Amino acid sequence: MQIKRNVLLNPGPATTTDSVKLAQVVTDICPREKEFGDLMEYCATEITKFVGDPKEYATVLFGGSGTATVEAILSSVVPENGRILIIDNGAYGKRMCQITKIYKLDTVVFESSSIEPIDLKALEEVIKGEKGLTHLAMIHHETTTGLLNDISAVGKLCANYDISFIVDSMSGFAAIPVDMKTMNIDYLAASSNKNIQGMAGIGFAICNKKALLATESIPMRNLYLNLYAQYAYFEKTHQTRFTPPVQTFYALKQAIIETKEETIVKRYDRYAKSWETLLSGIEEMGLEYLIDREHHSKIITSIIEPKNDKYDFDEMHDYFFERGFTIYPGKVNNYDTFRISNIGQIDYKDMEDFLKVLKEYLVQIGFLED
């Protein structure tokens, strides 16, 4: 089967292999069959192994986006008398704050720069000053900018102050190596459609079993997204409580197999080579990007839009789309940007091809000379 290949430079869903796409073409099966339960268990166990020991950690699967998983964690693990501190340094930290506000959770917001590292000393002072903090939540890799947050350092702070640590690693997981035990992470959220290179539709929370079991007594704030209920039901029945996205699970299994074959370390090396290629190219063209190399994820780059009267993002998007590339807009603080992601089944050669098209466009609008 010939499948047209598009190079997705948006921050997920990502370009996938044909084998992942075709894994969805399976015989119809009821998700209540043991065979399908075994497939979900395989996915859960192997996902856990990427970041922790399955004896101590468990992956809870949901049909839904990454945000559904973040909401599942936040709404399920903070007790009625608990307090959560959220580090807000971008759009996804703000989304966490929206979630806790809707659920009326007692929340302390630590605002931080969206383009510079978190001030750990200032964070510790806030932790010291806020009594009764039980949880801290933050983003691993801020997808709006490409800023890589220091979850190891924050994890140590949480350990020192006996605070349960929640990490949204949506665009970090399966590319940037994570060790939940070493980093003191109790809950880590991710999804099927970014660095693991599967199809969109499955979110998962990787949980410290001891911490998760302690949430059993917390009154349920919702039905579908309750973390403990989903975990306990799967442990008992080998099924999810509600209908899972069947075909998407077959794609996820194949994506996991391919991730294991490549290894997370080598995948990150591949991503990093594409990123280096991108930065070299845009620097040659006189374009600027937001995050300093030292604090960059090497996964997503926010590029400041060229100052040119003829520049129009929508027109540039269409120019690229017609040539097989998808790009993504973005606005950070006072900066108008567009974002280029180098995740998925692409490599530096795809980035070189993208840069050729970018140069053609910039010449066409008069930003560069031919």
Side-chain angles (χ1 to χ4, degrees):
M1 181 184 292
Q2 291 295 315
I3 304 174
K4 181 178 181 292
R5 182 174 184 263
N6 290 326
V7 177
L8 302 184
L9 302 178
N10 53 286
T15 298
T16 56
T17 62
D18 285 355
S19 49
V20 166
K21 295 181 186 73
L22 293 172
Q24 299 173 101
V25 185
V26 292
T27 303
D28 292 332
I29 185 172
C30 172
R32 304 302 176 193
E33 294 294 333
K34 182 181 182 300
E35 177 187 332
F36 191 76
D38 290 344
L39 180 140
M40 289 192 292
E41 183 174 38
Y42 172 86
C43 291
T45 302
E46 296 303 321
I47 286 168
T48 303
K49 286 179 181 177
F50 287 135
V51 293
D53 185 343
K55 293 177 182 176
E56 299 178 69
Y57 298 88
T59 294
V60 184
L61 302 161
F62 289 93
S65 68
T67 298
T69 309
V70 174
E71 183 171 341
I73 294 171
L74 293 175
S75 64
S76 300
V77 307
V78 181
E80 290 183 307
N81 60 348
R83 296 190 81 202
I84 183 168
L85 184 149
I86 296 174
I87 299 175
D88 173 6
N89 66 340
Y92 295 94
K94 283 183 173 58
R95 188 173 294 178
M96 282 184 167
C97 295
Q98 286 179 296
I99 292 168
T100 61
K101 183 178 180 181
I102 289 168
Y103 285 99
K104 297 180 171 57
L105 301 178
D106 189 352
T107 304
V108 176
V109 180
F110 179 84
E111 294 187 353
S112 181
S113 168
S114 58
I115 59 175
E116 295 176 350
I118 295 164
D119 185 336
L120 294 170
K121 289 183 179 179
L123 175 61
E124 184 168 15
E125 288 303 311
V126 171
I127 291 172
K128 286 179 181 177
E130 293 289 344
K131 302 303 179 187
L133 287 176
T134 56
H135 294 74
L136 185 150
M138 69 180 294
I139 307 300
H140 182 192
H141 166 220
E142 180 48 66
T143 315
T144 41
T145 59
L147 178 66
L148 184 62
N149 290 320
D150 190 347
I151 57 173
S152 293
V154 177
K156 288 178 182 177
L157 276 178
C158 290
N160 291 341
Y161 291 92
D162 194 25
I163 295 171
S164 186
F165 189 25
I166 301 166
V167 174
D168 173 347
S169 188
M170 216 59 60
S171 57
F173 176 80
I176 303 169
V178 168
D179 184 318
M180 288 183 66
K181 188 168 187 176
T182 302
M183 296 176 173
N184 190 46
I185 301 169
D186 284 327
Y187 304 96
L188 185 140
S191 68
S192 58
N193 63 294
K194 292 187 185 290
N195 305 328
I196 205 163
Q197 300 182 183
M199 311 306 287
I202 301 168
F204 39 88
I206 309 167
C207 310
N208 177 312
K209 286 184 181 179
K210 186 177 179 181
L212 178 59
L213 291 172
T215 67
E216 180 182 6
S217 61
I218 298 174
M220 291 176 67
R221 298 183 174 102
N222 54 42
L223 179 64
Y224 187 88
L225 295 176
N226 186 264
L227 196 60
Y228 178 79
Q230 188 81 341
Y231 167 77
Y233 190 85
F234 190 81
E235 287 293 296
K236 183 179 179 181
T237 68
H238 216 48
Q239 299 174 3
T240 54
R241 291 177 297 152
F242 306 101
T243 306
V246 175
Q247 286 75 17
T248 310
F249 266 104
Y250 283 95
L252 177 58
K253 179 183 178 181
Q254 181 61 29
I256 289 168
I257 291 169
E258 293 176 12
T259 302
K260 290 171 65 178
E261 288 173 350
E262 183 173 23
T263 77
I264 288 175
V265 170
K266 289 182 180 177
R267 177 163 294 179
Y268 196 35
D269 288 343
R270 173 166 60 83
Y271 287 2
K273 187 171 183 179
S274 295
W275 174 73
E276 292 284 0
T277 303
L278 172 66
L279 261 57
S280 296
I282 62 175
E283 286 170 351
E284 285 180 12
M285 296 179 211
L287 294 173
E288 298 178 277
Y289 52 93
L290 287 182
I291 306 298
D292 291 341
R293 283 175 175 260
E294 182 184 356
H295 307 295
H296 207 292
S297 65
K298 304 181 183 179
I299 286 177
I300 293 167
T301 303
S302 283
I303 301 170
I304 299 173
E305 292 183 333
K307 294 179 174 61
N308 181 281
D309 291 340
K310 293 183 179 179
Y311 171 82
D312 178 270
F313 174 80
D314 290 334
E315 290 181 4
M316 181 172 72
H317 169 276
D318 293 347
Y319 187 86
F320 280 112
F321 192 79
E322 290 165 3
R323 290 157 179 80
F325 297 95
T326 298
I327 62 173
Y328 210 69
K331 185 173 179 63
V332 182
N333 299 341
N334 296 321
Y335 298 101
D336 290 319
T337 68
F338 62 96
R339 285 181 279 171
I340 300 299
S341 171
N342 42 271
I343 67 173
Q345 194 57 36
I346 65 173
D347 61 20
Y348 74 97
K349 293 179 182 177
D350 292 305
M351 201 57 71
E352 288 175 343
D353 291 340
F354 162 75
L355 289 166
K356 290 175 187 175
V357 179
L358 177 59
K359 186 174 182 180
E360 288 172 7
Y361 173 77
L362 294 177
V363 167
Q364 181 175 296
I365 65 170
F367 181 78
L368 293 177
E369 294 183 1
D370 195 353

